[in-house]
């Protein structure tokens, strides 16, 4: 049994986690809805990497639909009142979409690496049909890896609080989270380094420097995005696992609260993925630029229409 102090709730941590989740839900839904519209109405040429990006958009939109329920869980002081079935469905969909998003982001980086560094390989002649088949296999593989999330008990939904019993399902979840961070991040760093090294050798002429800078920005954005979203949670989960054997309840509670907040940061990937889309095609840059101008224009119109002081109505 945990000591009472070890299971104390931190209202500040729970509100911070819920606020992050709601912000990520709003921004992620807006950004990925624009990306989805661009895929259907503005993208004229589809290539395998575009198919991986399309599936990444779908994963991010489905993940965003889970976040309000997750935020309500934190705002309700980690209590779940919607029943075990809804709890299991939420956990499964959340784990599936987050894992699939990481997988498709890695697939985009790997596709760029093969086309730039190993351009003569036959795999670069992959058909669109084959790319759709690979995408379907990714979804099926992630569903098989995350199906244990649907078997958790109602008391586990969806919580990062430490448990004394080390069940196989909980250990599998922890191992899967670390694998989903270490392997893709290592592969992304390896591919990014290879892409940049090859492009520096090929694009030495001054007139080709803009293309090199765009490629550098793309691979840099993918690496920075992954580190920003997952590295804090990775460190917090390591500290949480290490603190389970400690007797100091203050340390364990701090680790739980840190895991709650940094765990909410992992969903920031769905908000920042549109940065990757912008670097991948001018069609996305045009769509997001149009959205930005539209929002800016509306804000200016509201400001101009706001009632001001009329000197003729003043008593002075």
């Amino acid at each position: 049994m945990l000591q009472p102090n070890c299971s104390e709730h931190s209202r500040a941590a729970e509100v911070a986690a819920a606020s992050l989740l709601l912000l990520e839900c709003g921004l992620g839904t807006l950004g990925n809805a624009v990306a989805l519209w661009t895929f259907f109405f503005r993208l004229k040429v589809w290539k395998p990497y575009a198919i991986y990006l399309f599936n990444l958009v779908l994963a991010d939109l489905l993940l965003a639909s889970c976040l309000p329920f997750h935020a309500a869980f934190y705002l309700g002081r980690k209590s779940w009142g919607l029943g075990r079935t809804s709890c299991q469905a939420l956990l499964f969909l959340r784990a599936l979409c987050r894992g699939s998003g990481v997988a498709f982001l890695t697939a985009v980086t790997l596709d760029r690496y093969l086309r730039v560094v190993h351009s003569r390989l036959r795999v670069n002649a992959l058909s669109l049909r084959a790319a759709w088949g690979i995408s379907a296999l990714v979804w099926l593989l992630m569903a098989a890896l995350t199906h244990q999330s649907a078997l958790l008990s109602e008391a586990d939904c969806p919580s990062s609080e430490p448990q004394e019993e080390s069940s196989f399902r909980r250990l599998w979840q922890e191992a899967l989270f670390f694998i989903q961070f270490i392997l893709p991040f290592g592969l992304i760093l390896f591919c990014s380094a290879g892409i940049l090294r090859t492009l520096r050798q090929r694009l030495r002429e001054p007139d080709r420097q803009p293309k090199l800078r765009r490629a550098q920005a793309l691979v840099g954005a993918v690496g920075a995005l992954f580190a920003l979203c997952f590295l804090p949670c990775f460190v917090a989960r390591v500290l949480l696992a290490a603190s389970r054997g400690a007797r100091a309840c203050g340390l364990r509670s701090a680790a739980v609260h840190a895991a709650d907040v940094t765990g909410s940061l992992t969903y920031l990937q769905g908000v920042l993925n549109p940065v990757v889309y912008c670097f991948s095609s001018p069609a996305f840059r045009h769509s997001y630029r149009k959205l930005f101008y539209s929002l800016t224009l509306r804000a200016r119109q509201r400001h101009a229409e706001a009632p001001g002081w009329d000197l003729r109505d003043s008593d002075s």
Side-chain angles (χ1 to χ4, degrees):
M1 292 289 293
L2 292 174
Q3 298 179 21
N5 291 338
C6 293
S7 59
E8 283 184 354
H9 295 281
S10 170
R11 194 58 182 165
E14 291 164 359
V15 170
S19 301
L20 278 173
L21 291 168
L22 293 175
L23 181 63
E24 290 161 352
C25 175
L27 295 178
T29 300
L30 177 61
N32 287 286
V34 173
L36 193 64
W37 180 87
T38 304
F39 272 111
F40 284 124
F41 299 106
R42 295 199 62 88
L43 195 63
K44 298 179 180 180
V45 179
W46 284 67
K47 295 181 179 180
Y49 80 89
I51 293 175
Y52 304 144
L53 286 177
F54 177 77
N55 283 274
L56 178 59
V57 171
L58 293 181
D60 287 341
L61 284 173
L62 287 173
L63 183 61
S65 68
C66 300
L67 300 187
F69 300 98
H70 198 22
F73 169 79
Y74 281 116
L75 292 176
R77 301 189 67 84
K78 295 187 177 181
S79 62
W80 185 262
L82 299 180
R84 181 175 180 178
T85 301
S86 63
C87 165
Q88 293 173 330
L90 175 67
L91 284 174
F92 174 73
L93 184 62
R94 191 187 65 182
L96 172 64
C97 294
R98 183 168 61 182
S100 298
V102 171
F104 285 117
L105 188 63
T106 307
V108 171
T109 307
L110 183 60
D111 178 82
R112 296 288 86 193
Y113 171 78
L114 292 175
R115 291 181 181 276
V116 172
V117 181
H118 302 287
S119 56
R120 297 182 180 181
L121 292 179
R122 294 183 61 182
V123 70
N124 291 317
L126 196 69
S127 66
L128 296 183
R129 186 174 182 178
W132 281 112
I134 291 174
S135 300
L137 287 177
V138 169
W139 283 105
L140 290 175
L141 176 62
M142 293 311 306
L145 291 175
T146 58
H147 78 281
Q148 291 287 344
S149 298
L151 303 177
L152 293 178
S153 64
E154 194 170 353
D156 294 321
C157 185
S159 174
S160 62
E161 293 186 33
Q163 303 288 329
E164 288 298 320
E165 298 90 3
S166 296
S167 66
F168 170 77
R169 292 191 294 268
R170 183 166 296 279
L171 291 175
W172 174 255
Q173 271 197 320
E174 292 294 327
L176 183 61
F177 176 83
F178 290 130
I179 291 173
Q180 284 180 337
F181 173 80
I182 294 173
L183 291 183
F185 191 51
L187 184 60
I188 286 173
L189 290 180
F190 173 79
C191 292
S192 299
I195 291 172
L196 293 179
R197 183 172 58 251
T198 302
L199 289 178
R200 287 195 185 102
Q201 296 172 354
R202 295 180 183 176
L203 305 177
R204 293 181 178 180
E205 296 80 2
D207 59 333
R208 306 184 74 180
Q209 290 302 303
K211 185 176 181 180
L212 174 60
R213 286 193 291 269
R214 285 196 299 269
Q216 289 175 332
L218 174 60
V219 296
V222 173
L225 183 155
F226 208 89
L228 175 63
C229 296
F230 289 96
L231 187 58
C233 187
F234 177 81
V235 174
R237 296 285 279 267
V238 170
L239 294 176
L240 178 61
S243 67
R244 283 176 179 163
R247 295 184 178 180
C249 285
L251 177 62
R252 301 180 68 178
S253 296
V256 170
H257 302 152
D260 286 339
V261 177
T262 57
S264 299
L265 274 178
T266 60
Y267 308 108
L268 190 62
Q269 177 191 343
V271 178
L272 299 179
N273 277 337
V275 176
V276 179
Y277 310 150
C278 287
F279 285 120
S280 65
S281 171
F284 292 101
R285 292 195 291 273
H286 176 78
S287 295
Y288 287 115
R289 191 181 299 117
K290 187 175 181 180
L291 174 65
F292 176 77
Y293 288 153
S294 176
L295 294 176
T296 303
L297 180 61
R298 289 182 181 180
R300 290 178 178 176
Q301 288 177 344
R302 291 196 195 98
H303 181 72
E305 294 172 358
W309 289 101
D310 193 338
L311 292 177
R312 291 174 298 178
D313 296 334
S314 175
D315 293 335
S316 58

